């Protein structure tokens, strides 16, 4: 996702285009698009332009961007990580390296098997992630 598209999504959903949101989008534009990053790393870069910004300010803005599908988030080892929304077409999931945070799309989805094993239940959403180490980290 490019910065212009991200800013358009903000506007289309009634959010203001603030300097802080622009900075967060800029930070992610400069990062590996196939890797998740912890809030503490984002905060360090963010505070270059906004030295008095709090962790909560960054966190709140990151979750706004997640809610709008500009960013994705995952939890790894008790820490929330973020990255630009994946541009892979169609429904898919991810393998996430527990060492470097890089991701690889997984084109298979187990939701049909789960649905079959829960007769009478209505699944509204799901998230399926596989964790391990990538070839570079093995």
């Amino acid at each position: 996702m490019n910065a212009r598209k991200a800013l358009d999504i903000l506007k289309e959903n009634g959010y203001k285009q603030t300097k802080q949101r622009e900075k967060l989008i800029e930070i992610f534009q400069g990062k590996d698009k196939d890797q998740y990053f912890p809030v503490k790393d984002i905060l360090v870069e963010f505070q270059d332009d906004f030295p008095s910004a709090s962790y909560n300010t960054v966190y709140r803005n990151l979750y706004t961007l997640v809610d709008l599908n500009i960013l994705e988030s995952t939890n790894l080892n008790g820490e929330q990580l973020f990255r630009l929304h994946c541009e892979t077409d169609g429904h898919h999931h991810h393998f996430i390296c527990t060492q470097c945070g890089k991701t690889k799309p997984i084109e298979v989805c187990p939701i049909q098997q789960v649905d079959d094993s829960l007769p009478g239940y209505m699944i509204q959403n799901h998230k399926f992630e596989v964790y391990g180490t990538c070839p570079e980290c093995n």
Side-chain angles (χ1 to χ4, degrees):
M1 174 169 312
N2 66 43
R4 181 75 259 147
K5 182 176 179 183
L7 295 172
D8 287 346
I9 291 170
L10 280 167
K11 186 177 179 182
E12 289 165 7
N13 286 277
Y15 289 89
K16 292 181 181 176
Q17 182 177 329
T18 66
K19 295 289 183 194
Q20 291 180 335
R21 290 178 182 143
E22 288 175 8
K23 177 63 178 179
L24 284 174
I25 292 167
E26 176 188 315
I27 288 170
F28 281 97
Q29 288 288 302
K31 297 206 170 294
D32 184 341
K33 290 172 180 35
D34 293 327
Q35 188 170 356
Y36 282 95
F37 298 92
V39 177
K40 64 184 178 202
D41 292 355
I42 302 305
L43 179 62
V44 169
E45 287 186 58
F46 190 78
Q47 286 179 329
D48 287 344
D49 287 8
F50 303 97
S52 63
S54 71
Y55 182 87
N56 287 339
T57 297
V58 172
Y59 216 85
R60 187 174 51 254
N61 276 293
L62 288 171
Y63 269 103
T64 296
L65 298 176
V66 168
D67 289 344
L68 296 172
N69 289 321
I70 294 168
L71 297 180
E72 294 177 5
S73 96
T74 193
N75 190 301
L76 184 60
N77 300 324
E79 185 173 30
Q80 205 65 33
L81 306 172
F82 297 86
R83 69 175 225 163
L84 278 176
H85 188 72
C86 185
E87 294 184 18
T88 301
D89 290 334
H91 182 81
H92 67 283
H93 299 284
H94 293 107
F95 170 88
I96 302 169
C97 181
T98 57
Q99 297 296 310
C100 69
K102 287 191 178 182
T103 66
K104 180 161 179 52
I106 300 171
E107 303 300 330
V108 296
C109 178
I111 195 64
Q112 189 59 54
Q113 290 172 294
V114 172
D115 190 42
D116 292 346
S117 71
L118 296 169
Y121 289 80
M122 176 65 74
I123 296 173
Q124 295 176 335
N125 200 353
H126 72 283
K127 185 173 185 176
F128 175 69
E129 296 173 337
V130 177
Y131 298 93
T133 53
C134 67
E136 291 85 29
C137 293
N138 277 335

